[in-house]
Amino acid sequence: MGLIGQLFYNRIFNTIQIVNNVQDDLYQMQNTGTSEYKGADLTITYKPLRILTIYGVYSYIKCLNISNPEILFTDIPENKVFTSIEIIPIKNFFISISGEYNSKRYSTSNGSRVSKPFFIANAELKYKFAKYFDLSFGIKNITDNNYTLQEGYPEPGRNFYASLYYNFNK
């Protein structure tokens, strides 16, 4: 079992961020002064069997605009969790199931929120054949969750894909 923890603290003196409603509905990237980003990441990897790997990541981030606290940071969830299970039942064949949780986030610097907390589940089957090729089939957003990260741009619902990869680095 592997466990890695990280703490971070950043103080930025010339923060460039989106400021909404500069004029009517227009936004602008502006220097809003000093800000702080602080948080933690925790990663766990567990391999109870030769064919099974369980992976999890938790991230916490708190963003504060010190110079202009009324201007909020956008598109950053305070809490985020990612988990996955990978099974390798036979050589070169992989089954992966993953999930991601995001807490609510601001979509505008004046406090609008378009997204409630949400959870997305995904699954993928991958087969490595020949020396350089991978063939994948998968489903993203299995539960067909309706969520939005930015106003006016809903994220895709359940979708299926097939991919053929060629790796130049082998």
Side-chain angles (χ1 to χ4, degrees):
M1 182 161 97
L3 179 65
I4 299 172
Q6 300 173 341
L7 298 174
F8 60 88
Y9 176 83
N10 294 303
R11 189 174 189 103
I12 301 170
F13 295 100
N14 289 300
T15 305
I16 305 296
Q17 72 179 98
I18 288 178
V19 178
N20 291 92
N21 299 329
V22 174
Q23 181 181 358
D24 298 323
D25 287 338
L26 299 177
Y27 69 88
Q28 185 178 53
M29 299 298 285
Q30 292 184 359
N31 183 335
T32 59
T34 303
S35 65
E36 253 180 11
Y37 294 79
K38 54 187 171 182
D41 289 326
L42 180 64
T43 304
I44 295 175
T45 305
Y46 181 54
K47 193 170 179 93
L49 303 169
R50 181 183 53 80
I51 66 166
L52 176 67
T53 303
I54 301 168
Y55 178 76
V57 179
Y58 169 72
S59 297
Y60 169 80
I61 185 168
K62 186 70 173 175
C63 304
L64 302 169
N65 189 326
I66 296 168
S67 300
N68 295 293
E70 70 280 357
I71 300 174
L72 304 169
F73 289 92
T74 60
D75 303 325
I76 302 171
E78 193 169 284
N79 296 285
K80 187 172 186 173
V81 178
F82 175 82
T83 60
S84 73
I85 297 171
E86 184 177 77
I87 303 166
I88 307 171
I90 58 174
K91 184 179 178 183
N92 295 332
F93 183 70
F94 302 82
I95 301 168
S96 178
I97 301 167
S98 65
E100 180 180 324
Y101 167 81
N102 284 258
S103 64
K104 59 189 173 188
R105 63 183 80 201
Y106 294 108
S107 61
T108 64
S109 64
N110 58 4
S112 296
R113 295 182 195 260
V114 294
S115 185
K116 310 175 294 235
F118 63 88
F119 177 80
I120 301 299
N122 307 302
E124 181 180 56
L125 302 174
K126 183 184 337 182
Y127 181 68
K128 293 183 179 233
F129 64 95
K131 187 174 180 180
Y132 302 102
F133 289 97
D134 296 350
L135 180 63
S136 299
F137 298 96
I139 306 171
K140 293 183 178 179
N141 194 0
I142 292 170
T143 58
D144 201 20
N145 196 351
N146 184 14
Y147 68 103
T148 303
L149 301 178
Q150 291 182 320
E151 288 184 69
Y153 298 98
E155 294 298 308
R158 180 182 311 118
N159 58 87
F160 301 85
Y161 65 92
S163 302
L164 178 64
Y165 294 97
Y166 179 80
N167 189 340
F168 291 97
N169 295 322
K170 290 187 181 180

